[in-house]
Amino acid sequence: VQSKRAVLIATIAVILALAGLGGSFVLFPHHANSDPACSAGPTTHSYVIYESDNPPYKGMNGSYYHFGHDSWPVITVCEGDTVKIHVENVYSSEPHGFQIDNYFPGVTLAPGQSYNVSFVANKAGTFRVFCNIFCLIHPYMINGTLVVLG
Ligand SMILES: [Cu+2]
């Protein structure tokens, strides 16, 4: 009986947490393509990343709310896939940077600005996705990750 009660309490806690975070879950799934069929051949993936000082996207697609847990967001693709990312600085009072190790050297976005990144994921591995300039928000949260499956 006690374990059932624990499961119930955990379920309610998750529901409350999801409700509280609101829109941060609808942007794009943080494990956007966690089990891609790499044998099917190269495909093109399109993502949106919002960098923000404020809810619901605080951090990077809400990464602020996941501090201490896994990377956020996580983009998983197959080697040879084309990756398109629309990154936008929204609801912010300061500039943010955007960089992906090995794949994208970086851009600085003033509040309201956006940028479209496009590349072929030709090197397998795990790469940091992060804000590459000094700001008041991003040092206090986990980075995103690009996973390229070989
Ligand atoms: Cu930043």
Side-chain angles (χ1 to χ4, degrees):
V1 173
Q2 260 191 342
S3 67
K4 276 186 180 174
R5 185 176 297 165
V7 168
L8 180 64
I9 289 170
T11 303
I12 290 171
V14 167
I15 290 169
L16 289 175
L18 288 171
L21 291 175
S24 62
F25 280 84
V26 301
L27 183 56
F28 76 70
H30 75 292
H31 291 116
N33 188 15
S34 60
D35 189 20
C38 292
S39 58
T43 56
T44 298
H45 306 273
S46 297
Y47 304 103
V48 175
I49 291 181
Y50 286 158
E51 296 187 288
S52 183
D53 302 352
N54 294 292
Y57 307 121
K58 193 169 183 175
M60 218 178 257
N61 286 4
S63 58
Y64 175 88
Y65 306 105
H66 303 276
F67 187 80
H69 301 284
D70 293 337
S71 296
W72 190 286
V74 176
I75 297 169
T76 305
V77 302
C78 304
E79 195 174 350
D81 284 354
T82 297
V83 179
K84 294 182 175 183
I85 300 172
H86 174 85
V87 56
E88 192 166 340
N89 184 357
V90 297
Y91 312 133
S92 290
S93 57
E94 61 175 347
H96 291 294
F98 183 76
Q99 181 174 339
I100 304 174
D101 281 344
N102 183 70
Y103 281 110
F104 183 62
V107 68
T108 298
L109 301 171
Q113 278 193 320
S114 64
Y115 192 87
N116 291 317
V117 180
S118 183
F119 57 87
V120 175
N122 53 14
K123 182 183 177 187
T126 299
F127 308 93
R128 265 189 320 163
V129 178
F130 61 104
C131 174
N132 64 341
I133 65 169
F134 174 81
C135 72
L136 298 178
I137 291 292
H138 289 115
Y140 299 101
M141 62 196 62
I142 49 179
N143 294 309
T145 301
L146 168 68
V147 179
V148 180
L149 303 174

